[in-house]
Amino acid sequence: MIPLILYASETGNAQDVAERVSRSFRRQGRKVTCESMDKFQISNLIHVDLLILITSTHGRGEPPPKMLNLWKALLRKNLPNNILEDLHFTLFGLGDSSYEKFNYAGKILARRIENLGANKLCDYGWGDERSPNGIEDAFIPWLQQTLDTFLPYLPVPPDYRPISITDLPPPIYSLTPAASSSRSTELDIPLNKLSISPNTTNGHVAPTRVEDTLRQEEHGIIKPDDWVWVTLKKNDRVTKEDWWQDVREIEFDLEDKNLTPYLPGSICSIQPQSSEEDVNTFLELMNLEDQADIPITVQSVLEEQPLPEHLPPHDKPTTLRSLLTNHLDIRCSPRKSFFEWLRRLSLDEREQERLDEFIDDPDEIHTYATRPSRSIVETLADFRQTKIPLSHILEILPPLRRRQFSIASSWDAHPGKVQLLVALVEYKTNLKIPRRGLCSQWLDSLKVGTRIPIHISPPTLFLPQNPETPVILVGPGTGVAPMRAFVEARVKQGAVENTALYFGCRSEFADFYFASEWKKYGEKGVNVQVAASRDQEEKVYVQHLIKENKEEVQDWLIDKGGHVYISGSSNAMPKEVREALAWCVSKEGAGTLTEEQANEYIEQMFEDGRGGEESW
Ligand SMILES: Cc1cc2nc3c(=O)[nH]c(=O)nc-3n(C[C@H](O)[C@H](O)[C@H](O)COP(=O)(O)OP(=O)(O)OC[C@H]3O[C@@H](n4cnc5c(N)ncnc54)[C@H](O)[C@@H]3O)c2cc1C
Ligand SMILES: Cc1cc2nc3c(=O)[nH]c(=O)nc-3n(C[C@H](O)[C@H](O)[C@H](O)COP(=O)(O)O)c2cc1C
């Protein structure tokens, strides 16, 4: 019996937790399979005996996209209610109790699996980022209890030797010279180095160039199969030159002219690359420069453990440099698991002491790494005596995550193009060098004419089919991106006078995106409301303008069954907008509902799909 760990992660935390759970089982000599939920063959679930589910929650209590296929399959009405009776499981959720629907994705998943007859083997754990020690407060006791419950079901192998928490476990993935790739060859490779000369390996001539046929490659940029090539046509700053924030209007031309048109509200994913400077610094710090460009293949050493999706498939040669550039994240801030790895590798007493402090006290990690956004490369520069061996690099470095952007264009208004509105992330912390977002910096570096791959996913927000249905769109800042696509689609439908847009910026003279278009649409009859918060003494935000239009809100939402969409920063804005909408339809505003009824009404609209929110 091999336990299966399935995780659904959006920003990497649930994956990190899942890998920590796997390591704990493997340290006890037990086999385990750890996989992203979206890679798991759902029809195999009925053959699983022991299951550990790990998921975060996103949006307003939404499951991460990687849970959706499993979730939809579990919701199928024709499933017998004992279909999972042979399954024994537990679940750990990652969430943040400042959100209304704390750990909601985990809770609904656990409930549904129980309803299908599965047996809850031990208590669920609910990680809370607001807890004094973050998710660790719930995770540590949950993990102990899970191990205590699961291990007795799993026989101890005869050759089991206990591995202490500070010992380096055997690697689970291998990097093998491309010309001599095989499981047995890998095990001969010295732990600390892939000792092959650039030109010959085991008597074979190594390929001089990595051929990557499944994943096409251009100038080192890799295109997965289901992505499409685009050419960058525009990368223009749209905020005033002396404004604190650099926001770009980005336009791509889709190369394949036969693609099915995307719907308004669709999402564009972009896979950024690590900077050349970070990659070179990493290679230098780890003394791996001479290994950087040797063609290698990646393989799982363990039969029960598939390669995770962020790594190149086994039959496609790569190089260490390409792995660091395209697959592994050396710019993000290190998590606890990273310090645990360094502790296993460290031979220097002073560094070991410091690493122990990090492992024992999450506050230390917060102060050293999370708050100042110190990167993995910068951390390694502080722990100079500790070197990550090639053998474990794929386990230690987290995946380089793709970033999502709401598409700001509708297909009808801009056929064959994808337009984005991207705020470049740059901020200062107590570290000397200003922090720059990984994808922002990469996009900034792209010259017009560059080809890159993108992925287009369907929207999560859908306009009503009927143009007679009124629509209220609320999109402050870059949140206006999907709203622009919606306004274009509504105007095309002829739904002009029953469309309202609430846009928020700081100043009409500095960060008023798509200004000339709003003027044009306003003249056509769209109700365009602009809250320029700092253009007058009293701050004005979108929620204030919504309240000023209370009669229209009451008429459109209550009397005419209208829809409302909110998009933008996930700070207080979405909640305050919903409160403003509720106020409008209450007795206090222009309606007849009590405060409680009004709040319930607005909540129900979102439940029923007459409301949608996309925040990040
Ligand atoms: C569905 C969806 C749609 C999106 N649409 C858009 C869009 O239309 N336009 C857009 O610009 N973005 C959009 N985003 C956000 C986008 O995906 C990226 O998160 C964003 O561009 C930053 O990526 P990055 O790689 O540049 O930054 P990263 O390297 O990922 O760094 C971002 C991190 O830096 C930290 N940080 C940022 N600012 C500060 C600060 N001032 N102080 C301290 N820490 C800070 C935070 O931890 C933040 O998570 C969307 C996200 C989602 C999920
Ligand atoms: C935009 C956004 C929305 C979120 N929404 C919720 C939520 O509704 N409920 C909750 O409990 N946690 C919520 N969270 C917290 C995440 O679940 C938490 O950050 C988790 O560690 C993310 O794990 P992941 O990196 O595996 O996706 C949200 C986080 C973000 C960034």
Side-chain angles (χ1 to χ4, degrees):
M1 217 187 303
I2 300 179
L4 173 67
I5 300 174
L6 288 181
Y7 59 83
S9 185
E10 178 66 17
T11 54
N13 297 333
Q15 179 170 358
D16 183 65
V17 162
E19 285 165 359
R20 285 172 71 187
V21 178
S22 316
R23 276 196 290 281
S24 302
F25 275 90
R26 290 190 179 122
R27 221 181 27 247
Q28 304 285 341
R30 308 315 205 273
K31 290 183 175 179
V32 68
T33 302
C34 180
E35 247 187 304
S36 177
M37 275 184 210
D38 64 327
K39 294 291 142 198
F40 176 67
Q41 186 71 43
I42 296 166
S43 54
N44 284 341
L45 195 57
I46 48 169
H47 306 301
V48 176
D49 309 295
L50 291 176
L51 177 67
I52 299 174
L53 293 159
I54 296 174
T55 184
S56 59
T57 294
H58 278 268
R60 291 180 65 232
E62 304 294 330
K66 294 195 171 173
M67 181 177 132
L68 285 180
N69 281 348
L70 176 65
W71 182 234
K72 280 184 204 149
L74 292 173
L75 284 185
R76 283 216 312 267
K77 289 215 168 66
N78 57 357
L79 291 181
N81 59 9
N82 62 349
I83 188 161
L84 296 180
E85 66 183 1
D86 294 331
L87 180 72
H88 297 77
F89 84 108
T90 187
L91 180 145
F92 186 79
L94 291 89
D96 177 333
S97 56
S98 67
Y99 286 92
E100 274 164 65
K101 294 186 169 177
F102 174 54
N103 260 312
Y104 195 68
K107 287 176 184 167
I108 54 173
L109 181 61
R111 194 182 328 138
R112 181 63 185 150
I113 290 196
E114 276 188 47
N115 288 344
L116 292 172
N119 309 282
K120 174 180 170 183
L121 207 51
C122 56
D123 283 346
Y124 309 133
W126 305 118
D128 182 4
E129 285 183 349
R130 297 285 144 173
S131 207
N133 296 315
I135 64 148
E136 296 300 307
D137 283 335
F139 177 65
I140 303 291
W142 173 84
L143 176 62
Q144 193 52 54
Q145 173 213 243
T146 300
L147 289 169
D148 291 347
T149 315
F150 278 64
L151 290 181
Y153 288 84
L154 309 166
V156 186
D159 56 347
Y160 167 61
R161 276 186 301 111
I163 303 176
S164 103
I165 192 129
T166 52
D167 284 347
L168 189 64
I172 56 174
Y173 306 119
S174 68
L175 295 168
T176 315
S180 62
S181 160
S182 80
R183 272 169 202 237
S184 58
T185 322
E186 183 280 330
L187 297 172
D188 299 335
I189 293 174
L191 199 65
N192 215 33
K193 286 255 167 171
L194 184 68
S195 299
I196 48 176
S197 76
N199 294 322
T200 58
T201 52
N202 289 3
H204 298 275
V205 176
T208 50
R209 183 176 164 273
V210 174
E211 289 300 333
D212 202 334
T213 48
L214 177 76
R215 296 166 162 234
Q216 301 169 41
E217 199 169 334
E218 159 146 334
H219 308 304
I221 297 179
I222 291 170
K223 183 184 94 59
D225 281 353
D226 54 345
W227 289 44
V228 293
W229 284 111
V230 292
T231 305
L232 180 67
K233 286 288 170 187
K234 198 157 114 182
N235 191 350
D236 293 348
R237 182 175 171 129
V238 288
T239 40
K240 236 174 108 196
E241 212 43 57
D242 56 357
W243 189 242
W244 65 278
Q245 196 176 30
D246 185 347
V247 177
R248 301 291 174 86
E249 227 179 284
I250 289 181
E251 182 177 280
F252 297 118
D253 259 2
L254 285 157
E255 202 158 276
D256 181 351
K257 299 295 173 217
N258 298 319
L259 282 177
T260 317
Y262 57 82
L263 290 171
S266 295
I267 309 274
C268 168
S269 294
I270 293 182
Q271 175 71 60
Q273 290 188 315
S274 308
S275 74
E276 209 179 316
E277 190 190 342
D278 277 350
V279 171
N280 286 336
T281 311
F282 179 90
L283 290 167
E284 195 187 315
L285 285 167
M286 297 300 107
N287 298 337
L288 286 170
E289 289 148 302
D290 58 339
Q291 316 287 313
D293 299 301
I294 300 172
I296 46 179
T297 58
V298 176
Q299 191 174 10
S300 175
V301 176
L302 307 174
E303 257 164 56
E304 70 277 10
Q305 180 56 57
L307 271 183
E309 60 168 342
H310 69 277
L311 296 177
H314 165 59
D315 54 345
K316 304 300 160 202
T318 180
T319 61
L320 176 57
R321 190 183 300 283
S322 176
L323 286 169
L324 293 168
T325 305
N326 298 298
H327 303 271
L328 302 170
D329 196 347
I330 48 179
R331 167 69 71 88
C332 64
S333 289
R335 298 181 171 92
K336 180 178 175 180
S337 58
F338 184 78
F339 292 105
E340 287 175 342
W341 276 113
L342 292 196
R343 179 63 182 83
R344 290 177 200 124
L345 295 163
S346 171
L347 301 171
D348 178 272
E349 219 172 286
R350 288 228 320 266
E351 291 191 356
Q352 286 178 352
E353 268 171 33
R354 187 74 184 116
L355 291 164
D356 282 336
E357 284 167 11
F358 287 140
I359 293 163
D360 294 340
D361 184 358
D363 261 359
E364 289 284 323
I365 297 183
H366 189 74
T367 310
Y368 170 80
T370 320
R371 196 165 45 205
S373 297
R374 194 186 301 271
S375 71
I376 281 186
V377 177
E378 288 166 324
T379 304
L380 290 170
D382 282 351
F383 289 87
R384 281 196 175 255
Q385 306 305 321
T386 306
K387 307 289 174 202
I388 300 180
L390 206 46
S391 54
H392 287 71
I393 218 159
L394 303 178
E395 286 170 76
I396 298 176
L397 296 177
L400 189 56
R401 279 187 307 108
R402 57 190 62 166
R403 282 13 178 206
Q404 295 184 317
F405 296 94
S406 310
I407 298 182
S409 45
S410 68
W411 181 274
D412 285 331
H414 312 270
K417 293 186 187 302
V418 171
Q419 296 178 342
L420 310 177
L421 185 68
V422 178
L424 302 193
V425 169
E426 186 164 349
Y427 57 99
K428 289 208 169 104
T429 65
N430 58 2
L431 301 179
K432 236 187 4 269
I433 305 169
R435 307 288 95 185
R436 298 190 71 190
L438 176 74
C439 192
S440 306
Q441 187 173 11
W442 185 69
L443 283 172
D444 187 25
S445 73
L446 296 184
K447 301 260 172 306
V448 167
T450 309
R451 284 174 87 224
I452 65 160
I454 64 165
H455 182 263
I456 299 178
S457 5
T460 55
L461 309 179
F462 293 93
L463 282 177
Q465 300 269 323
N466 183 355
E468 301 291 316
T469 308
V471 165
I472 297 176
L473 306 166
V474 187
T478 48
V480 79
M483 303 309 169
R484 191 236 194 178
F486 284 156
V487 171
E488 288 178 347
R490 292 280 290 178
V491 170
K492 173 94 190 342
Q493 278 183 316
V496 173
E497 283 176 354
N498 56 356
T499 299
L501 170 77
Y502 291 86
F503 170 64
C505 58
R506 289 212 184 162
S507 167
E508 291 202 11
F509 310 100
D511 57 343
F512 189 7
Y513 315 131
F514 305 117
S516 60
E517 295 184 21
W518 302 141
K519 188 161 180 283
K520 185 182 77 188
Y521 291 130
E523 283 163 6
K524 282 191 174 173
V526 175
N527 178 9
V528 177
Q529 300 280 330
V530 180
S533 63
R534 312 252 167 129
D535 279 353
Q536 59 286 307
E537 217 153 276
E538 283 277 290
K539 295 229 171 76
V540 178
Y541 296 114
V542 280
Q543 54 269 34
H544 299 135
L545 299 188
I546 290 173
K547 282 184 164 182
E548 280 177 18
N549 283 277
K550 60 186 180 190
E551 276 87 13
E552 184 179 271
V553 175
Q554 155 74 21
D555 180 43
W556 286 14
L557 296 189
I558 303 278
D559 303 337
K560 301 202 169 103
H563 288 216
V564 60
Y565 302 93
I566 307 169
S567 166
S569 160
S570 63
N571 57 23
M573 181 275 293
K575 186 163 173 271
E576 286 171 10
V577 167
R578 270 179 280 130
E579 281 167 5
L581 293 167
W583 181 86
C584 292
V585 302
S586 74
K587 280 185 209 155
E588 292 275 296
T592 54
L593 303 177
T594 63
E595 191 184 334
E596 200 185 333
Q597 287 169 331
N599 285 329
E600 263 170 37
Y601 184 87
I602 298 297
E603 282 311 302
Q604 198 56 45
M605 278 185 63
F606 281 83
E607 294 289 321
D608 297 345
R610 278 176 57 212
E613 184 184 312
E614 194 160 86
S615 49
W616 55 83

